Amino acid sequence: MNDKQRSFPLPLSSVVDKAKKSPVFAPVATPQTATQNAAQSAARLASVPASARPGATPSKSHAYALDRAQPVAAAAPRQNPLVSDAVRRAMVQRVARQGVKDALVLGALETVPRHLFMEEALASQAYIDASLPIGHHQTISQPYIVARMIEVMRNGGELRRVLEIGTGCGYQAAVLSCLAQEVYSIERIKSLHELAKANLRPLRVPNLRLHYGDGMLGLPQAAPFDGIILAAAGLEVPQALLDQLAIGGRLVAPVGARAQHLELVTRLGKAEWRRDTLEDCHFVPLRPGTV
Ligand code: SAH
């Protein structure tokens, strides 16, 4: 592990507090920016009915919203129809038709503005069910597989502490933060770790910690985890991760090289794990070390 492993201690109050002090909506007309998109989407999210939000229990609801009021005039007219709430809802309906049944997971997918996690040039493709490039030969995962893996990991139960290996742009971490009390996510590529921080900054995600490091080593200081998700495929699941699973906890990982499948590992006892092989999948490779 890189001994300079950096953590990203959220809450994002430092960032949000700074944002509060600066005049974000200057009276001068400026071109649409990612930040404005973020602000507008977050403001729209605040109006998602509570029943449609994941973790409808108030203590666990993490609907994204900026903690500053949005001028109505700035929010309405410029919305790109390809990244609208309706388009995101349609994506969720497709994911449900593909077989994801967990209503909380579907609700989380509906809550998180996926287009804010990709380059503006690709944002209009954000709600098609595909993985898309995020730079450094990595991808943002396909919405279906994000939902499916979380559904399998959750298994209808309560998630207190969850670990994700492979933050990438931060999308799945944001979805997880709607469903678990505490989420930890590790990324080995420094600039993607920074990208995820930047993507998550406009959203308030107080229960998510981003770490820069080698996820194959897990995060022993925060273990044990009720659930672990790998967003990159290794030839096998690293033992360190199996050891950091709580007894009764569930790990979901893509396993394989060219031909990959999803593997569910359930920890049954101190030295006993059960493996179940699920559907085929395609992920970027799990790699050791940091860059
Ligand atoms: N979770 C992302 C998917 C990112 S793609 C999403 O929400 O769409 C998978 C990521 O895993 C890549 O960013 C890659 O750099 C990262 N990765 C691969 N091996 C890793 C390791 N050992 N530790 C941490 N991250 C790793």
Side-chain angles (χ1 to χ4, degrees), residues 95-110:
V95 169
R97 278 199 299 274
Q98 285 175 275
V100 174
K101 295 189 177 62
D102 188 325
L104 289 188
V105 174
L106 294 172
L109 229 54
E110 191 165 329

Side-chain angles (χ1 to χ4, degrees), residues 73-146:
R78 287 179 185 153
Q79 190 177 4
N80 176 349
L82 294 174
V83 298
S84 68
D85 295 348
V87 172
R88 186 158 62 248
R89 260 196 304 278
M91 175 195 83
V92 174
Q93 283 160 8
R94 283 196 305 276
V95 169
R97 278 199 299 274
Q98 285 175 275
V100 174
K101 295 189 177 62
D102 188 325
L104 289 188
V105 174
L106 294 172
L109 229 54
E110 191 165 329
T111 301
V112 178
R114 189 171 187 255
H115 63 282
L116 298 184
F117 292 84
M118 48 186 62
E119 279 176 29
E120 260 183 283
L122 286 175
S124 59
Q125 296 177 57
Y127 299 109
I128 60 173
D129 193 29
S131 59
L132 292 164
I134 55 170
H136 303 270
H137 307 291
Q138 307 302 321
T139 54
I140 179 171
S141 300
Q142 182 196 1
Y144 164 77
I145 204 78
V146 167

Side-chain angles (χ1 to χ4, degrees), residues 236-255:
E236 55 184 20
V237 178
Q239 184 62 40
L241 299 180
L242 298 179
D243 290 338
Q244 290 171 32
L245 207 51
I247 293 175
R250 292 157 70 88
L251 174 150
V252 184
V255 173

Side-chain angles (χ1 to χ4, degrees), residues 118-197:
M118 48 186 62
E119 279 176 29
E120 260 183 283
L122 286 175
S124 59
Q125 296 177 57
Y127 299 109
I128 60 173
D129 193 29
S131 59
L132 292 164
I134 55 170
H136 303 270
H137 307 291
Q138 307 302 321
T139 54
I140 179 171
S141 300
Q142 182 196 1
Y144 164 77
I145 204 78
V146 167
R148 173 78 179 130
M149 289 174 84
I150 301 176
E151 174 178 66
V152 168
M153 178 183 71
R154 203 174 90 77
N155 198 27
E158 178 129 339
L159 292 170
R160 274 167 302 135
R161 195 173 287 188
V162 165
L163 176 66
E164 179 196 32
I165 310 303
T167 316
C169 59
Y171 173 67
Q172 179 161 25
V175 175
L176 284 168
S177 75
C178 297
L179 296 159
Q181 281 168 27
E182 288 171 42
V183 179
Y184 297 80
S185 182
I186 312 177
E187 173 56 54
R188 69 181 286 273
I189 300 178
K190 184 68 180 287
S191 44
L192 289 180
H193 167 72
E194 298 295 340
L195 174 71
K197 279 204 281 189

